[in-house]
Amino acid sequence: MTRSDFSKTLIDRLAEADHVAVLTGAGISAESGLSTFRDPGGLWDKFDPQELANVDAFLSNPELVQSWYSHRRELALEVEPNPGHEALAELEKRVPHFTLITQNVDDLHHRAGSDNVVELHGNITRNYCMECEREATDEDLAPIAEGEPARCPSCDGLIRPDVVWFGEMLPPDALRQASRASERAGVFLSIGTSAAVQPAASLPLRAKASGAYVAEVNVRSTEITRQVDESVRGKAGDVLPTLTDAVAQHG
Ligand code: BV8
Protein backbone atom coordinates (compact mmCIF):
# COMPACT_ATOMS: atom_id res chain seq x y z
CA MET A 1 0.00 0.00 0.00
CA THR A 2 1.45 3.39 -1.00
CA ARG A 3 1.05 6.18 1.55
CA SER A 4 2.19 9.75 2.03
CA ASP A 5 2.93 9.06 5.70
CA PHE A 6 3.90 5.95 7.64
CA SER A 7 1.21 3.97 9.45
CA LYS A 8 0.59 3.53 13.20
CA THR A 9 1.24 -0.17 12.59
CA LEU A 10 4.79 0.63 11.51
CA ILE A 11 5.41 2.72 14.65
CA ASP A 12 3.96 0.01 16.91
CA ARG A 13 5.99 -2.71 15.19
CA LEU A 14 9.21 -0.67 15.38
CA ALA A 15 8.64 0.19 19.06
CA GLU A 16 8.06 -3.47 19.93
CA ALA A 17 10.67 -5.07 17.66
CA ASP A 18 13.59 -6.99 19.12
CA HIS A 19 15.42 -6.94 15.78
CA VAL A 20 15.14 -4.32 13.04
CA ALA A 21 17.00 -4.56 9.71
CA VAL A 22 17.38 -1.67 7.29
CA LEU A 23 18.60 -1.71 3.67
CA THR A 24 19.75 1.61 2.22
CA GLY A 25 20.63 2.68 -1.31
CA ALA A 26 21.91 5.78 -3.02
CA GLY A 27 18.64 7.64 -2.36
CA ILE A 28 19.50 8.18 1.32
CA SER A 29 22.66 10.04 0.27
CA ALA A 30 20.92 12.14 -2.40
CA GLU A 31 20.08 14.87 0.15
CA SER A 32 23.74 15.02 1.10
CA GLY A 33 24.38 16.05 -2.50
CA LEU A 34 25.64 12.73 -3.90
CA SER A 35 24.15 11.60 -7.23
CA THR A 36 22.14 8.40 -7.30
CA PHE A 37 22.73 5.76 -9.97
CA ARG A 38 19.48 5.41 -11.87
CA ASP A 39 17.64 8.69 -11.35
CA PRO A 40 17.75 11.12 -14.26
CA GLY A 41 21.19 12.75 -14.24
CA GLY A 42 22.49 9.93 -12.04
CA LEU A 43 25.94 8.44 -12.12
CA TRP A 44 25.10 5.83 -14.70
CA ASP A 45 23.67 8.51 -17.02
CA LYS A 46 27.20 9.68 -17.64
CA PHE A 47 28.70 6.22 -17.83
CA ASP A 48 27.40 2.75 -18.64
CA PRO A 49 28.12 0.30 -15.76
CA GLN A 50 29.78 -1.92 -18.33
CA GLU A 51 32.14 0.96 -18.96
CA LEU A 52 33.30 1.44 -15.41
CA ALA A 53 31.93 -0.76 -12.61
CA ASN A 54 33.36 -4.09 -13.74
CA VAL A 55 36.80 -5.65 -13.57
CA ASP A 56 37.27 -6.00 -17.36
CA ALA A 57 36.61 -2.27 -17.84
CA PHE A 58 39.11 -1.58 -15.07
CA LEU A 59 41.83 -3.75 -16.61
CA SER A 60 41.31 -2.23 -20.06
CA ASN A 61 41.26 1.35 -18.80
CA PRO A 62 42.60 1.56 -15.22
CA GLU A 63 43.25 5.31 -15.37
CA LEU A 64 39.63 6.09 -16.29
CA VAL A 65 38.14 3.83 -13.59
CA GLN A 66 40.64 4.92 -10.93
CA SER A 67 39.98 8.60 -11.67
CA TRP A 68 36.17 8.10 -11.64
CA TYR A 69 36.39 6.51 -8.18
CA SER A 70 38.92 9.10 -7.03
CA HIS A 71 36.44 11.83 -8.05
CA ARG A 72 33.54 10.07 -6.27
CA ARG A 73 35.69 9.53 -3.16
CA GLU A 74 36.52 13.24 -3.01
CA LEU A 75 32.82 14.11 -3.38
CA ALA A 76 31.87 11.67 -0.61
CA LEU A 77 34.50 13.15 1.73
CA GLU A 78 33.32 16.71 0.96
CA VAL A 79 29.63 16.16 1.84
CA GLU A 80 28.03 15.55 5.22
CA PRO A 81 25.59 12.92 6.47
CA ASN A 82 22.01 14.25 6.29
CA PRO A 83 19.04 13.93 8.73
CA GLY A 84 18.12 10.60 7.12
CA HIS A 85 21.50 9.06 8.04
CA GLU A 86 21.31 10.65 11.51
CA ALA A 87 17.78 9.36 12.16
CA LEU A 88 18.93 5.78 11.49
CA ALA A 89 21.84 6.23 13.92
CA GLU A 90 19.29 7.44 16.51
CA LEU A 91 16.85 4.59 15.78
CA GLU A 92 19.67 2.06 16.30
CA LYS A 93 19.96 3.21 19.93
CA ARG A 94 16.27 2.41 20.53
CA VAL A 95 16.21 -1.15 19.19
CA PRO A 96 17.81 -4.14 20.99
CA HIS A 97 19.22 -5.61 17.77
CA PHE A 98 19.65 -3.26 14.80
CA THR A 99 21.40 -4.10 11.50
CA LEU A 100 22.01 -1.38 8.94
CA ILE A 101 22.72 -3.03 5.58
CA THR A 102 23.94 -0.56 2.97
CA GLN A 103 24.61 -0.80 -0.77
CA ASN A 104 26.26 2.61 -0.55
CA VAL A 105 30.03 2.93 -0.60
CA ASP A 106 30.15 6.58 0.58
CA ASP A 107 30.87 5.86 4.29
CA LEU A 108 28.13 8.33 5.36
CA HIS A 109 26.37 5.88 7.74
CA HIS A 110 29.60 5.45 9.73
CA ARG A 111 30.15 9.22 9.75
CA ALA A 112 26.57 9.73 10.99
CA GLY A 113 27.35 7.51 13.99
CA SER A 114 25.68 4.24 12.99
CA ASP A 115 27.43 1.33 14.69
CA ASN A 116 26.33 -1.99 13.20
CA VAL A 117 26.78 -1.21 9.48
CA VAL A 118 27.03 -4.05 6.93
CA GLU A 119 28.67 -2.80 3.71
CA LEU A 120 27.39 -5.08 0.95
CA HIS A 121 29.20 -3.28 -1.88
CA GLY A 122 32.35 -2.12 -0.08
CA ASN A 123 33.61 1.32 0.82
CA ILE A 124 35.04 3.91 -1.59
CA THR A 125 37.41 5.33 1.03
CA ARG A 126 39.44 2.09 0.97
CA ASN A 127 41.73 0.96 -1.89
CA TYR A 128 43.96 -2.09 -2.28
CA CYS A 129 46.41 -3.78 -4.64
CA MET A 130 44.77 -6.29 -7.01
CA GLU A 131 47.82 -8.58 -6.78
CA CYS A 132 49.06 -8.60 -3.18
CA GLU A 133 45.95 -6.99 -1.57
CA ARG A 134 48.10 -4.49 0.33
CA GLU A 135 45.94 -1.57 1.48
CA ALA A 136 46.86 1.54 -0.54
CA THR A 137 47.70 4.89 1.06
CA ASP A 138 46.66 8.31 -0.27
CA GLU A 139 50.26 8.73 -1.42
CA ASP A 140 50.00 5.53 -3.50
CA LEU A 141 46.99 7.10 -5.28
CA ALA A 142 48.86 10.29 -6.25
CA PRO A 143 49.64 9.21 -9.87
CA ILE A 144 45.88 9.23 -10.64
CA ALA A 145 45.88 13.05 -10.50
CA GLU A 146 48.60 12.96 -13.17
CA GLY A 147 46.51 10.70 -15.40
CA GLU A 148 48.77 7.74 -14.63
CA PRO A 149 47.58 4.38 -13.23
CA ALA A 150 48.20 4.03 -9.47
CA ARG A 151 50.33 0.96 -8.76
CA CYS A 152 51.36 -0.89 -5.62
CA PRO A 153 54.76 0.22 -4.27
CA SER A 154 55.43 -3.37 -3.13
CA CYS A 155 54.58 -5.46 -6.19
CA ASP A 156 53.61 -2.94 -8.91
CA GLY A 157 50.11 -4.41 -9.12
CA LEU A 158 47.19 -2.14 -10.06
CA ILE A 159 45.42 -0.44 -7.16
CA ARG A 160 41.60 -0.71 -7.15
CA PRO A 161 38.79 0.72 -4.99
CA ASP A 162 37.45 -1.63 -2.30
CA VAL A 163 34.00 -1.82 -3.91
CA VAL A 164 32.05 -4.73 -5.42
CA TRP A 165 31.80 -4.47 -9.20
CA PHE A 166 29.17 -6.12 -11.40
CA GLY A 167 29.97 -9.79 -11.83
CA GLU A 168 31.92 -9.89 -8.55
CA MET A 169 30.80 -11.81 -5.49
CA LEU A 170 29.74 -9.76 -2.47
CA PRO A 171 31.94 -10.06 0.63
CA PRO A 172 30.76 -13.43 2.08
CA ASP A 173 30.68 -12.26 5.69
CA ALA A 174 28.68 -9.15 4.82
CA LEU A 175 26.17 -11.14 2.76
CA ARG A 176 25.84 -13.74 5.53
CA GLN A 177 25.25 -11.04 8.17
CA ALA A 178 22.72 -9.27 5.93
CA SER A 179 20.84 -12.48 5.15
CA ARG A 180 20.72 -13.52 8.80
CA ALA A 181 19.47 -10.09 9.90
CA SER A 182 16.80 -10.11 7.17
CA GLU A 183 15.52 -13.52 8.34
CA ARG A 184 15.46 -12.51 12.03
CA ALA A 185 14.04 -9.00 11.72
CA GLY A 186 10.55 -8.21 13.02
CA VAL A 187 10.63 -5.04 10.91
CA PHE A 188 12.59 -4.45 7.66
CA LEU A 189 12.95 -0.94 6.20
CA SER A 190 14.06 -0.49 2.57
CA ILE A 191 15.20 3.09 2.12
CA GLY A 192 16.26 5.01 -0.98
CA THR A 193 16.91 2.02 -3.20
CA SER A 194 15.43 1.15 -6.59
CA ALA A 195 15.79 -2.53 -5.60
CA ALA A 196 17.34 -3.16 -9.04
CA VAL A 197 20.59 -4.84 -8.00
CA GLN A 198 20.93 -8.43 -6.81
CA PRO A 199 21.45 -10.02 -4.39
CA ALA A 200 20.78 -6.90 -2.21
CA ALA A 201 17.30 -6.43 -3.66
CA SER A 202 16.25 -9.91 -2.52
CA LEU A 203 16.78 -9.05 1.17
CA PRO A 204 13.46 -7.19 1.79
CA LEU A 205 11.56 -10.10 0.25
CA ARG A 206 13.49 -12.63 2.32
CA ALA A 207 12.55 -10.64 5.41
CA LYS A 208 8.91 -10.66 4.38
CA ALA A 209 9.00 -14.39 3.73
CA SER A 210 10.38 -14.81 7.27
CA GLY A 211 7.47 -12.87 8.78
CA ALA A 212 8.84 -9.33 8.98
CA TYR A 213 6.71 -6.23 8.51
CA VAL A 214 8.37 -4.60 5.45
CA ALA A 215 8.14 -0.89 4.68
CA GLU A 216 9.97 1.15 2.06
CA VAL A 217 10.71 4.87 1.97
CA ASN A 218 11.21 6.30 -1.51
CA VAL A 219 10.25 9.32 -3.58
CA ARG A 220 8.85 6.98 -6.24
CA SER A 221 7.80 3.36 -6.68
CA THR A 222 10.43 0.64 -6.97
CA GLU A 223 10.70 -2.97 -8.14
CA ILE A 224 9.41 -4.17 -4.75
CA THR A 225 6.69 -1.57 -4.05
CA ARG A 226 3.90 -4.04 -4.82
CA GLN A 227 5.37 -6.65 -2.49
CA VAL A 228 6.06 -4.61 0.66
CA ASP A 229 3.53 -4.02 3.46
CA GLU A 230 3.70 -0.25 3.05
CA SER A 231 5.50 2.13 0.73
CA VAL A 232 5.92 5.65 2.08
CA ARG A 233 6.34 8.34 -0.60
CA GLY A 234 8.79 10.90 0.64
CA LYS A 235 12.39 11.92 1.04
CA ALA A 236 14.43 9.88 3.50
CA GLY A 237 15.68 13.11 5.12
CA ASP A 238 12.08 14.13 5.88
CA VAL A 239 10.41 10.78 6.69
CA LEU A 240 13.10 9.13 8.84
CA PRO A 241 13.49 11.85 11.51
CA THR A 242 9.68 11.94 11.94
CA LEU A 243 9.56 8.14 12.09
CA THR A 244 12.32 7.97 14.69
CA ASP A 245 10.65 10.69 16.79
CA ALA A 246 7.35 8.79 16.69
CA VAL A 247 9.09 5.61 17.87
CA ALA A 248 10.78 7.55 20.69
CA GLN A 249 7.43 8.97 21.83
CA HIS A 250 5.69 5.60 21.62
CA GLY A 251 4.34 4.68 25.08
C1 BV8 B 1 26.91 -10.93 -7.84
C2 BV8 B 1 29.63 -0.73 -7.23
C3 BV8 B 1 27.49 -13.19 -8.39
C4 BV8 B 1 30.15 0.24 -6.30
C5 BV8 B 1 27.46 -1.65 -7.63
C6 BV8 B 1 20.22 -12.04 -10.33
C7 BV8 B 1 19.32 -11.55 -11.25
C8 BV8 B 1 19.71 -10.59 -12.18
C9 BV8 B 1 21.03 -10.11 -12.20
C10 BV8 B 1 21.89 -10.61 -11.27
C11 BV8 B 1 21.51 -11.56 -10.34
N1 BV8 B 1 22.60 -11.83 -9.55
C12 BV8 B 1 23.65 -11.11 -9.98
C13 BV8 B 1 23.25 -10.35 -11.03
C14 BV8 B 1 24.09 -9.42 -11.76
C15 BV8 B 1 24.19 -8.07 -11.05
C16 BV8 B 1 22.86 -7.35 -11.03
O1 BV8 B 1 22.17 -7.32 -10.02
N2 BV8 B 1 22.52 -6.72 -12.13
C17 BV8 B 1 21.29 -5.96 -12.18
C18 BV8 B 1 21.61 -4.51 -12.54
C19 BV8 B 1 20.36 -6.62 -13.17
N3 BV8 B 1 24.68 -8.26 -9.71
C20 BV8 B 1 26.00 -8.43 -9.50
O2 BV8 B 1 26.81 -8.51 -10.42
C21 BV8 B 1 26.46 -8.55 -8.07
N4 BV8 B 1 27.37 -9.66 -7.96
O3 BV8 B 1 25.78 -11.19 -7.61
O4 BV8 B 1 27.91 -11.88 -8.08
C22 BV8 B 1 26.87 -13.18 -9.78
C23 BV8 B 1 27.41 -12.40 -10.80
C24 BV8 B 1 26.83 -12.42 -12.09
C25 BV8 B 1 25.70 -13.21 -12.35
C26 BV8 B 1 25.15 -13.98 -11.29
C27 BV8 B 1 25.73 -13.96 -10.03
C28 BV8 B 1 27.25 -7.29 -7.67
C29 BV8 B 1 26.31 -6.14 -7.48
C30 BV8 B 1 27.10 -4.89 -6.99
C31 BV8 B 1 27.40 -4.02 -8.17
N5 BV8 B 1 28.04 -2.80 -7.71
N6 BV8 B 1 28.17 -0.58 -7.33
C32 BV8 B 1 29.88 1.59 -6.85
O5 BV8 B 1 30.43 1.94 -7.92
O6 BV8 B 1 29.10 2.29 -6.18
S1 BV8 B 1 25.79 -1.51 -7.87
C33 BV8 B 1 25.17 0.05 -7.64
O7 BV8 B 1 23.75 -0.13 -7.60
C34 BV8 B 1 25.52 0.68 -6.30
O8 BV8 B 1 26.21 -0.16 -5.41
C35 BV8 B 1 24.13 0.99 -5.73
O9 BV8 B 1 24.15 1.05 -4.38
C36 BV8 B 1 23.38 -0.17 -6.24
C37 BV8 B 1 21.88 -0.13 -6.11
O10 BV8 B 1 21.43 1.11 -6.63
P1 BV8 B 1 20.60 2.05 -5.61
O11 BV8 B 1 21.43 2.27 -4.41
O12 BV8 B 1 19.25 1.48 -5.42
O13 BV8 B 1 20.56 3.42 -6.40
P2 BV8 B 1 19.54 3.81 -7.58
O14 BV8 B 1 20.04 5.06 -8.19
O15 BV8 B 1 19.27 2.61 -8.44
O16 BV8 B 1 18.16 4.12 -6.83
C38 BV8 B 1 18.09 5.25 -5.95
C39 BV8 B 1 16.69 5.21 -5.36
O17 BV8 B 1 16.58 6.27 -4.41
C40 BV8 B 1 15.61 5.43 -6.40
O18 BV8 B 1 14.57 4.48 -6.18
C41 BV8 B 1 15.10 6.85 -6.11
O19 BV8 B 1 13.70 6.98 -6.35
C42 BV8 B 1 15.36 6.95 -4.63
N7 BV8 B 1 15.57 8.29 -4.10
C43 BV8 B 1 16.18 9.34 -4.70
N8 BV8 B 1 16.23 10.40 -3.84
C44 BV8 B 1 15.65 9.97 -2.68
C45 BV8 B 1 15.22 8.64 -2.83
N9 BV8 B 1 14.61 7.95 -1.86
C46 BV8 B 1 14.41 8.58 -0.68
N10 BV8 B 1 14.79 9.86 -0.45
C47 BV8 B 1 15.40 10.58 -1.42
N11 BV8 B 1 15.76 11.86 -1.18
Side-chain angles (χ1 to χ4, degrees):
M1 163 204 11
T2 297
R3 331 166 40 97
S4 58
D5 194 1
F6 43 78
S7 67
K8 184 178 178 314
T9 304
L10 180 56
I11 303 304
D12 293 345
R13 295 291 293 262
L14 278 170
E16 293 149 12
D18 180 53
H19 196 149
V20 171
V22 179
L23 174 68
T24 62
I28 198 168
S29 297
E31 291 159 83
S32 291
L34 294 182
S35 301
T36 63
F37 288 83
R38 295 168 186 85
D39 290 325
L43 287 167
W44 296 141
D45 268 9
K46 303 174 184 65
F47 296 106
D48 180 312
Q50 308 315 322
E51 205 176 320
L52 294 182
N54 70 68
V55 68
D56 297 332
F58 175 66
L59 293 174
S60 62
N61 195 337
E63 304 93 280
L64 174 64
V65 177
Q66 285 180 342
S67 59
W68 186 54
Y69 279 95
S70 190
H71 171 64
R72 286 177 57 200
R73 181 166 52 252
E74 281 158 23
L75 290 177
L77 292 171
E78 276 164 16
V79 302
E80 295 298 325
N82 66 59
H85 296 106
E86 290 160 355
L88 291 181
E90 185 55 37
L91 186 60
E92 178 175 28
K93 296 173 190 160
R94 300 180 178 283
V95 176
H97 302 283
F98 189 91
T99 306
L100 177 45
I101 305 157
T102 189
Q103 301 169 90
N104 299 339
V105 297
D106 56 31
D107 205 41
L108 289 178
H109 285 304
H110 280 124
R111 289 175 54 197
S114 286
D115 183 34
N116 189 22
V117 180
V118 178
E119 295 177 325
L120 285 184
H121 295 164
N123 186 314
I124 205 167
T125 63
R126 295 192 301 264
N127 295 270
Y128 66 93
C129 170
M130 281 193 85
E131 304 303 330
C132 69
E133 299 191 344
R134 174 186 178 278
E135 183 151 358
T137 64
D138 289 350
E139 191 186 348
D140 296 338
L141 301 176
I144 298 172
E146 313 302 322
E148 294 298 318
R151 289 187 172 276
C152 173
S154 304
C155 74
D156 202 39
L158 278 170
I159 291 173
R160 61 164 288 173
D162 187 7
V163 300
V164 180
W165 281 328
F166 286 105
E168 293 188 319
M169 301 300 284
L170 274 58
D173 286 350
L175 188 53
R176 195 179 319 91
Q177 268 185 275
S179 303
R180 191 177 303 133
S182 302
E183 285 157 7
R184 291 180 177 167
V187 178
F188 190 104
L189 303 177
S190 181
I191 297 165
T193 181
S194 59
V197 173
Q198 297 296 348
S202 64
L203 294 171
L205 306 182
R206 285 176 72 163
K208 185 156 175 62
S210 303
Y213 185 84
V214 181
E216 74 172 351
V217 176
N218 203 305
V219 293
R220 61 179 65 86
S221 65
T222 73
E223 305 216 9
I224 58 170
T225 296
R226 298 162 67 93
Q227 292 144 290
V228 300
D229 294 296
E230 70 181 70
S231 184
V232 182
R233 277 298 156 276
K235 290 185 172 183
D238 296 336
V239 173
L240 293 178
T242 313
L243 185 66
T244 299
D245 288 349
V247 172
Q249 286 154 24
H250 188 280

